[in-house]
Amino acid sequence: VRTVVDKLEEEHGFKFCVHNRDFLPGERCFDQMGACIDASRRVICFQSPSFLSSSFCNWEFSYALENDVLRGKKRLAVVMLEPVTEFDENNQAVKQFISTFTYLEREDPDFWAKLLYIMPSNPVLQQQANTSNVQNAANLRTNYADDSAREDEPLLHDHDIA
């Protein structure tokens, strides 16, 4: 996860909101998670068995998914770090999502091209992804909201991704 965040921030200019770095001490975690998700143009969930066992992660996922439905936008992106095969009553939203929508697999040889393609609108990144010959990238992009309408909206927090 740290590698992905570092590369997207340092090499591609995106700004992440990462809890252990960006949350304010003394504030309620759920309030900060919700505010970051609300203000972000993309929400990336890194799925793994440990993600599924975390009540905070399951809440974030459900909140982001519900927000997408309410807003009529597709901002939630899933990166599968490890195969997830066991679900319980606390993570049925995740199970439904990954059985319905496409997601990225960290071990995919075209992972970086696909990830950059679904990131918020950026003409340079879109050109890089288009020239990488990723056959499914266009299909992935159609699943995500048009971010250009949000470019001038003020954000509550200064980041692109929660």
Side-chain angles (χ1 to χ4, degrees), residues 11-66:
E11 295 179 24
H12 300 286
F14 290 106
K15 294 180 183 177
F16 273 76
C17 178
V18 180
H19 78 280
N20 60 346
R21 178 187 72 187
D22 300 315
F23 280 12
L24 299 173
E27 299 291 325
R28 291 189 55 215
C29 289
F30 290 112
D31 292 342
Q32 291 188 79
M33 289 186 298
C36 288
I37 290 169
D38 291 342
S40 295
R41 294 187 296 152
R42 183 74 65 234
V43 177
I44 300 177
C45 288
F46 295 92
Q47 296 287 330
S48 67
S50 61
F51 178 97
L52 292 178
S53 67
S54 166
S55 60
F56 286 110
C57 292
N58 281 296
W59 184 89
E60 284 179 303
F61 185 89
S62 294
Y63 184 86
L65 183 58
E66 183 178 312

Side-chain angles (χ1 to χ4, degrees), residues 1-8 11-12 16 44-47 77-82 102-119 125 128-129 132-137 140 144 161:
V1 174
R2 185 84 248 156
T3 304
V4 174
V5 170
D6 288 347
K7 186 170 182 167
L8 287 175
E11 295 179 24
H12 300 286
F16 273 76
I44 300 177
C45 288
F46 295 92
Q47 296 287 330
V78 171
V79 174
M80 194 68 67
L81 297 176
E82 302 172 40
T102 56
Y103 54 86
L104 300 172
E105 294 184 56
R106 182 60 188 98
E107 299 305 316
D108 183 336
D110 293 322
F111 171 76
W112 284 107
K114 290 176 181 180
L115 180 60
L116 289 172
Y117 198 80
I118 66 168
M119 294 303 289
L125 294 180
Q128 289 172 353
S132 70
N133 258 342
V134 178
Q135 295 176 358
N136 293 327
L140 285 170
Y144 292 87
I161 300 112

